[in-house]
Amino acid sequence: MAKDNKTAINPRRDEDYPIWYQEVIKAADMAENSDVRGCMVIKPWGYTIWENIQKELDDMFKATGHKNAYFPLFIPLSYLQKEADHVEGFATECAVVTHHKLTKNSEGTLVPDGELDEPLIVRPTSETIIGATFSKWVNSYRDLPILINQWANVVRWERRTRLFLRTAEFLWQEGHTVHATKEEAVDETIKMLNVYKNFAEKVMAIPVITGEKSESERFPGAVSTYSIEAMMQDRKALQAGTSHFLGQKFAKASNIKFQSKDMQEEYAWTTSWGVSTRLIGALIMTHSDDNGLVLPPRIAPAHVVFLPIYKTDEERDTVLAFIEEIRAEIRGLGRYHERHLVADVDDRDMRGGEKNWNWIKKGVPLKVEVGMRDIEKNSLAVMRRDNPELKKDFIDRDEFVKNLHDTLDDIQNTLFERAKAYRDENTRTIDDKDEFEAYFTPENKDKPEIHGGFALSHWCGSVTCEEELKELKITIRNIPLDGKEEDGTCIHCGAPSKRRVVFAKAY
RNA sequence: CGGAAUGUGGCCCAGAGGCUAGGGCACCUGGUUUGGGACCAGGGGAUCGCAGGUUCGAAUCCUGCCAUUCCGACCA
């Protein structure tokens, strides 16, 4: 059993949340900082999670009629310049390519040479290059809609980076669509937002709030931006995905025009939407505990890991053969949701205890020890990672296989319900200004403890109030789509308001 | 970009102007072990973040730079 007074991850969440986060990543062997400033190396355990995210989302995109394509990494500087708000939003964080070769100087060191006539920027997002391409694809209303997605890397020269949450280069998908009417484009924006919500909640077991961003949090160049917002265990909000209605702004900037049925030349309506490797950060901070990563089965690189226990070579053969039989049966169970069941064996030659902790820290949903005693009793020593006490249960071997699908679903549900309960416990409807301020004020100013959460409060809609509330280090996360209209007064200025918004500290 | 802290084998840390830079974990070899982070013995591995400077002598003092972490500003 786990020692009562010791956890695998130090510090614990309540001691130092940011460091705990880094340690979980290190302990699970998911990623590390590279020699390139702000860029990470995603290691197999972390990358497989990304591959699983890709598989699931890609299916969802295909099911909603989207096709994948690929656009260039480089964007001519002049393209970025086409949409004024867009340039302004990204200008401060662009990597710029100015040369196309290297030559040796007199000291023999390599220096850039062959200056480009027009600098290229490394895409921070692809609206402009894709818009320029779409303008060539669209002539008639019959060409619409265009529903495209690309899986790619992008670069944003962030000043302050953190593994998975904000890195200079990151992996993502960006959907870009073109429509003949405003209504259709708005529908698309909301549809994809709901795809994200469904994915986050069903596959990653992360409860999210869908809503519209306030003007100041809007994507540069968008008419309206929507987000899914999740609560991390330090009660801060994390924007886990966005969907933008771009109106005709990019169509005008990139000249995406078509002839309508009644022979009019019209600008098209576009959308874009994306999620990134930041989702992995959300996953870590939603489910993990003081013993490391905890993975929902539907996204875990492996569902089950078997740890053989033996003394002699003879016993080893017996135990491994027993495990192989079970693995064959598990393979026979077919798919677990969209993916094949993955049941690995860890037969590395190392101490049992250490090996055990290894898998606990990696967050594999089910860890199964198999030794001679188990074989005699036809049972298995099973540990569910969602059990915070790391309790080991002895389960009949046949029952285990028969119930595997249900057990994994149960873990998946438990994690979702636990995360949802945590969020709900830390969400308050607040109408009193003093209460609001107290809610967001830590007791210890120098080293703030985990405090606050989400506040559902009225907001008059003015940028000034939003700005002044930043004193409390909070922002409006979004204006929930399922929020009802109700009369109230702005939590800050007291002006009349029709709607509650989500206030929180944020990543 | 401002403020603070840190940088010593793969990881964690000691060393505060003077012998060949230490220890724990990890790694390799041999042995004893093995159902919740084993033990014994032996062994390999470091241009002390980088570049200058001060000094007879620098991991240690000075200057600059770089990186990481935290706080802030900025930000899909």
Side-chain angles (χ1 to χ4, degrees), chain A residues 186-217:
Chain A
V186 169
D187 284 353
E188 169 81 5
T189 309
I190 302 298
K191 182 203 280 179
M192 298 321 287
L193 184 72
N194 284 323
V195 164
Y196 288 154
K197 178 184 169 74
N198 193 36
F199 170 77
E201 299 197 332
K202 295 284 163 6
V203 180
M204 302 193 80
I206 300 172
V208 296
I209 296 173
T210 53
E212 183 174 354
K213 285 290 196 183
S214 68
E215 188 187 338
S216 64
E217 299 267 329

Side-chain angles (χ1 to χ4, degrees), chain A residues 69-72 74 76 79 82 126-139 146 148 178 250 254-256:
Chain A
Y70 187 79
F71 296 84
F74 303 117
Y79 280 35
K82 287 178 183 172
S126 304
E127 273 74 9
T128 58
I129 184 84
I130 291 180
T133 311
F134 283 174
S135 73
K136 291 185 249 176
W137 293 2
V138 177
N139 294 302
I146 293 180
I148 292 290
V178 191
F250 282 91
S254 298
N255 206 33
I256 309 174

Side-chain angles (χ1 to χ4, degrees), chain A residues 35 75 128 152 174 194 235 240 242 245 251 299 307-308 311 336 350 421 474 478 481 484:
Chain A
D35 293 343
I75 298 176
T128 58
E174 47 181 324
N194 284 323
R235 301 183 208 160
T242 48
F245 169 59
I299 212 70
L307 307 183
K311 290 180 184 156
Y336 174 66
M350 62 195 278
I474 56 170
N478 67 21
L481 288 181
K484 323 173 261 301

Side-chain angles (χ1 to χ4, degrees), chain A residues 174-185:
Chain A
E174 47 181 324
H176 294 271
T177 68
V178 191
H179 307 266
T181 66
K182 179 181 176 183
E183 293 66 38
E184 202 185 307

